[in-house]
Amino acid sequence: MESSKQPLYPKLSSIYNKLMQLAIAIVLIVVLLNLWVTSNYHSEKTIHDNFYVAAEQHLQQAISGILSLKLIDNNDNLQKFVDGIADQKWVYEVRVYDQTGKAIAVSKNSPSVKDIFGVTINKTNKSEQFVPFIQEIRTESLIGFMRITVKKDHFTHDLSQTNFDNHAMLRLMMLIAVCIGFLLTRGLNRFSRQGFRVSLEK
């Protein structure tokens, strides 16, 4: 008994295969985009964390300088020390306070925290560009406080630019890979259709 023919089976199979290929391609694209976003997030977070670590280390070094030189009780030398720190490229402004919170040494053109965060009237928020760090000055007891406002771009610009360039190159490589895959698929399909078929008839 002859088996029933299924003329529509090849067509259904071909459509099914194409749909499966399309679905797999979409899933792979989503996974690839997710990996790209995650990689970019981790890179930016690493740059951000390194900025805070570096800024806090600079602040700690400045406080160590005040303590080792015993400048807290010498206003003139303390002011010179503060001005010297403020002259560095990575510093926006410097302030030193006594234990009551009174400013005893302030760098030139030093804005208040309210000015930096745009709380003051007619002042814009500059906290993304200039980030304040404050830390206690103490030995066995509290002596005072020191605040250094840091120029964030000085620490992050080069790293952020390198990260941007790397991801731009990655996007280009992804596009090239897609083009290569498309061309290879079309080439192999044409090759398989136009290939020689061995006749089974004698």
Side-chain angles (χ1 to χ4, degrees):
M1 181 176 181
E2 295 182 357
S3 60
S4 59
K5 297 182 180 180
Q6 296 180 350
L8 295 179
Y9 176 76
K11 295 183 179 180
L12 292 175
S13 178
S14 176
I15 294 173
Y16 175 78
N17 288 337
K18 289 181 180 180
L19 289 176
M20 282 295 296
Q21 290 174 359
L22 181 61
I24 293 172
I26 292 174
V27 170
L28 290 176
I29 290 173
V30 171
V31 171
L32 191 61
L33 289 175
N34 184 64
L35 290 174
W36 177 71
V37 171
T38 302
S39 174
N40 187 57
Y41 168 78
H42 284 300
S43 298
E44 290 296 331
K45 185 177 184 300
T46 300
I47 293 172
H48 180 80
D49 292 344
N50 286 340
F51 160 67
Y52 274 86
V53 170
E56 288 173 354
Q57 287 177 345
H58 280 84
L59 176 57
Q60 184 57 52
Q61 290 173 1
I63 291 174
S64 298
I66 291 175
L67 292 174
S68 62
L69 298 174
K70 299 180 180 179
L71 300 176
I72 201 69
D73 296 324
N74 190 325
N75 290 342
D76 290 338
N77 289 338
L78 180 61
Q79 184 62 51
K80 291 179 181 178
F81 182 79
V82 165
D83 290 337
I85 295 175
D87 287 338
Q88 300 185 56
K89 294 181 179 180
W90 57 273
V91 177
Y92 181 56
E93 60 92 27
V94 183
R95 290 193 179 205
V96 177
Y97 305 89
D98 63 14
Q99 62 269 33
T100 65
K102 177 183 177 182
I104 55 178
V106 180
S107 61
K108 298 176 182 178
N109 302 320
S110 176
S112 65
V113 172
K114 291 183 178 180
D115 291 344
I116 295 173
F117 282 90
V119 178
T120 307
I121 298 176
N122 297 327
K123 296 291 184 180
T124 58
N125 185 3
K126 299 180 180 178
S127 59
E128 286 295 324
Q129 298 173 301
F130 309 112
V131 184
F133 291 83
I134 189 167
Q135 191 169 323
E136 294 180 347
I137 303 173
R138 63 163 60 240
T139 51
E140 296 178 355
S141 60
L142 179 64
I143 297 175
F145 305 89
M146 185 173 191
R147 190 187 88 200
I148 293 181
T149 303
V150 177
K151 298 176 182 177
K152 187 175 181 179
D153 283 350
H154 180 83
F155 291 89
T156 63
H157 180 267
D158 291 342
L159 292 175
S160 295
Q161 185 62 45
T162 301
N163 182 50
F164 176 82
D165 293 341
N166 287 339
H167 281 85
M169 182 62 67
L170 179 61
R171 289 194 297 270
L172 179 60
M173 293 171 63
M174 288 165 54
L175 290 174
I176 293 174
V178 170
C179 292
I180 292 173
F182 176 76
L183 293 174
L184 285 176
T185 302
R186 287 183 60 86
L188 291 175
N189 284 341
R190 288 182 178 181
F191 179 77
S192 62
R193 288 198 302 268
Q194 298 175 2
F196 291 101
R197 295 182 180 180
V198 179
S199 178
L200 298 177
E201 296 179 359
K202 292 184 179 179

